Amino acid sequence: MDGERCNMIFLGLGGNLPSSRFGEPRATLEAALGALDTQHIRVCRRSQWYRSQPVPDDGQPWYVNGVAELETALSPPELLARLLQLEHRYGRVRRERW
C-alpha cells in the first residue's frame, strides 16, 4: 500500500456449516482469508481458531470462530461491499436475521 493512509479493521469470522466447495468450516474460513488479498485487503494478524457451542443449542454443529486484523485503503462502504461479495462467493446464504 506504499505510503497510502490505511484504515485498521478487526473482522470477526465464523461458520458452522460445511461448504461443497471447501469442506469443513475452518477450511472455508482459511480460503476466505486468503482471498482478501485479491480484494486489496491485507491480513496483518489473526487469532487462532476457536470452537464454540451454538446458542441456543438447537442441535446444529458447533461454530469455528476467529478474528483478523485487516488493513486497507478502501472506504468503509467499499470494504463492506467486498466482504459481502466474498461471503456470498464462499457460500454464505442469509435466510434470517441473526
Side-chain angles (χ1 to χ4, degrees):
M1 296 198 188
D2 305 321
E4 295 177 54
R5 184 162 185 255
C6 296
N7 303 309
M8 194 61 69
I9 301 100
F10 290 91
L11 178 66
L13 301 117
N16 72 332
L17 300 175
S19 160
S20 60
R21 185 172 169 199
F22 299 100
E24 293 302 312
R26 182 175 175 166
T28 302
L29 294 168
E30 289 282 354
L33 274 176
L36 290 173
D37 259 352
T38 67
Q39 300 297 312
H40 305 288
I41 304 165
R42 186 172 74 88
V43 176
C44 302
R45 295 183 299 167
R46 53 178 277 197
S47 71
Q48 62 184 354
W49 297 113
Y50 296 91
R51 291 190 65 219
S52 62
Q53 187 173 10
V55 177
D57 186 359
D58 56 2
Q60 62 180 313
W62 280 45
Y63 283 83
V64 175
N65 298 290
V67 176
E69 181 181 15
L70 310 176
E71 182 179 57
T72 185
L74 298 171
S75 71
E78 291 172 320
L79 174 61
L80 179 58
R82 291 187 189 199
L83 292 174
L84 291 173
Q85 288 171 351
L86 280 174
E87 270 191 341
H88 180 72
R89 187 179 335 153
Y90 283 81
R92 171 81 187 268
V93 177
R94 293 178 180 266
R95 291 192 186 107
E96 59 186 75
R97 190 172 179 195
W98 312 122

